[in-house]
Amino acid sequence: MKLTPGKLAGLKAVSDPRGVIAAAAMDQRGSLQKSLAKERGAAATGKDLEDFKTLVTDVLCKHASAILLDPEYGLPASKHRHGKGLLLAYEKTGYDSNTPGRLPDLLDVWSVRRLKEAGADCIKILLYYTPFEKSHINDLKQAWIERIGDECLTHDIPFFLEFVGYDADGGDEKTVDYAKKKPEIVSGAMAEFGKARYNVDVLKVEVPIVMEFVEGTKAFKGEKAYTRKEALQHFRDAEGMTHKPFIYLSAGVSNPVFIETLELAGESGTKFNGVLCGRATWKDGIAIFAKQGEKAFRDWLETKGVENIENVNNGLKAASPWYLKYGAKSMAELG
C-alpha cells in the first residue's frame, strides 16, 4: 500500500504524535436533534445543534487529535478546534426506513471538492452494512463506495469509511441473537471494504462483540453470547480480515463500557489504530444543555466531559500507530 502526498498529510493531521488517531466525533444530526428536543420538551433548532457542537469542539478538541463534524451544522464549530485535524461527514443523516436495505445517500450540495475547500483533512462516510443482506442491495452499496473512493482519490484526501451492522431479517440489534451474529457481520464488512478497489484509507469499525453479552465483563448483564475467551478471539479474527488501518467507534455505549471495551481489545493483542469516539464522551451532557443552557453544559464538559475523553485516551495506550500498516517504522519514514 502506497500513500499519496495528500492522503499522508491528511492522516498526519488527524493523528496524535504517536501516529494513533485519538479523534472526537460530533457529526450527529437527526439523533442529536431528537435527543435535545426530548430532554427540553420542546423543538431543538439548527442553532441549538450549532451551539452544542461548538461547545463540544471547543472543550474536547484540547484533549483529542481531531474532530469529526458535519458540514450542515458543524462548520461554525470547526473554527474552534485549537489547530487539531478535521474530518467532515459526506452522507445524509439516517436512512429511509420505508425502503428496504438502509440505503445511503450523499448530502445534496456537497462534494469531496467542496468539503476539502471547507477545511476537511479527511472525508468520512457512514454506511449501514451486513454481508447477510440481499446481494442486489449490497451491490448498490459497494458501487456507491467505489464512486466515493474514486472521488477521494482524485482530490487526494483520506477516505474514512464507517460501517454499522444491522439485522438483515429485521430483528432487534439489542438482543443476544444479534450479538451472536455480530462478529461475522463486522468481520465480513472489514474483509469487503478493505479491498483495494474501494480506495478506503481507514476503516472505522464497530467492535465485533456486544459487551453486555460477554461473560465475565463488568458490562455483563447475565445473558451470554460469548465467553471472555471467545470475545478475545472475535477481536483477533476481525483484525485478520484486513491489512488496512482501522479504528473503533463507541456506538453510543456509556463511557465505562467503552473503556472496558478498549481494555478487552488491548488484552486480545489486536493492533487497532485509535478511535473516533462521540457519545461516550458527551452524551450525558445533552440533558444539561437542553435544560440548563450553554454555561452549565460548558461547565459539565470542562469537568466530566474532559474526564470521559481522558479515560478514552488512557484506553488508547493499547493502540498501534497506523503507519505500521504501511510497513513504516515511523511517520517520518513515509515522507
Side-chain angles (χ1 to χ4, degrees):
M1 292 193 296
K2 276 270 192 238
L3 272 176
T4 55
K7 292 204 179 231
L8 177 58
L11 287 174
K12 281 182 175 176
V14 299
S15 307
D16 70 10
R18 269 203 310 149
V20 167
I21 296 161
M26 189 62 265
D27 65 324
Q28 286 74 8
R29 286 154 275 173
S31 60
L32 177 61
Q33 198 158 12
K34 282 181 198 146
S35 299
L36 286 170
K38 185 182 167 196
E39 293 296 344
R40 184 182 284 167
T45 64
K47 175 80 165 56
D48 289 325
L49 292 184
E50 287 185 3
D51 293 344
F52 188 94
K53 288 167 183 285
T54 298
L55 284 164
V56 168
T57 304
D58 191 28
V59 176
L60 297 188
C61 257
K62 293 170 189 166
H63 307 269
S65 66
I67 184 92
L68 165 63
L69 293 163
D70 58 281
E72 292 174 285
Y73 304 103
L75 292 181
S78 72
K79 309 287 186 285
H80 298 266
R81 64 183 199 272
H82 305 285
K84 303 299 178 69
L86 177 64
L87 302 100
L88 284 178
Y90 188 16
E91 81 286 343
K92 284 183 181 173
T93 187
Y95 55 88
D96 180 0
S97 51
N98 297 318
T99 308
R102 303 194 187 189
L103 297 178
D105 199 3
L106 294 176
L107 291 169
D108 291 332
V109 295
W110 289 94
S111 61
V112 168
R113 179 192 293 273
R114 290 179 179 200
L115 291 168
K116 193 172 178 179
E117 286 169 351
D121 295 302
C122 303
I123 303 298
K124 169 256 165 186
I125 281 285
L126 182 146
L127 178 71
Y128 290 95
Y129 189 84
T130 169
F132 302 112
E133 186 53 274
K134 295 175 186 69
S135 58
H136 73 273
I137 287 173
N138 279 351
D139 211 21
L140 282 172
K141 293 179 179 182
Q142 289 159 11
W144 190 72
I145 295 300
E146 287 167 11
R147 285 196 289 271
I148 297 161
D150 286 346
E151 201 183 350
C152 290
L153 201 60
T154 298
H155 292 284
D156 201 11
I157 189 168
F159 177 15
F160 280 56
L161 175 59
E162 170 183 0
F163 32 82
V164 174
Y166 63 96
D167 192 324
D169 301 318
D172 184 352
E173 285 91 21
K174 293 186 166 44
T175 62
V176 69
D177 288 336
Y178 180 77
K180 288 174 181 172
K181 296 177 189 171
K182 191 178 180 186
E184 277 190 273
I185 289 172
V186 172
S187 288
M190 289 175 74
E192 180 60 43
F193 292 106
K195 291 175 183 172
R197 65 184 297 116
Y198 297 106
N199 291 305
V200 173
D201 299 290
V202 177
L203 300 168
K204 182 186 174 192
V205 305
E206 295 179 285
V207 293
I209 47 94
V210 182
M211 287 297 284
E212 68 183 70
F213 298 114
V214 182
E215 192 177 45
T217 60
K218 286 180 279 200
F220 185 55
K221 290 189 176 169
E223 200 175 5
K224 183 184 85 172
Y226 356 75
T227 64
R228 190 180 186 91
K229 187 179 174 188
E230 286 166 345
L232 292 169
Q233 190 57 45
H234 287 318
F235 275 97
R236 292 189 281 265
D237 289 346
E239 179 189 24
M241 292 294 169
T242 185
H243 298 295
K244 297 271 182 182
F246 67 92
I247 59 178
Y248 291 128
L249 59 117
S250 58
V253 300
S254 69
N255 191 261
V257 170
F258 191 52
I259 301 316
E260 191 181 14
T261 308
L262 293 178
E263 286 167 2
L264 205 63
E267 189 183 325
S268 74
T270 300
K271 301 283 190 288
F272 70 103
N273 306 113
V275 295
L276 240 168
C277 172
R279 289 167 288 178
T281 53
W282 50 256
K283 181 173 70 172
D284 293 342
I286 290 174
I288 292 161
F289 178 90
K291 292 171 181 168
Q292 298 171 46
E294 289 186 32
K295 186 184 182 308
F297 182 45
R298 180 181 280 278
D299 291 344
W300 181 88
L301 281 169
E302 286 175 345
T303 50
K304 190 62 188 167
V306 168
E307 182 188 318
N308 286 344
I309 200 167
E310 287 298 354
N311 287 340
V312 173
N313 288 339
N314 278 331
L316 286 176
K317 285 176 182 162
S320 296
W322 55 261
Y323 56 72
L324 298 178
K325 300 272 169 81
Y326 289 91
K329 293 189 176 66
S330 70
M331 210 117 63
E333 213 177 288
L334 289 166

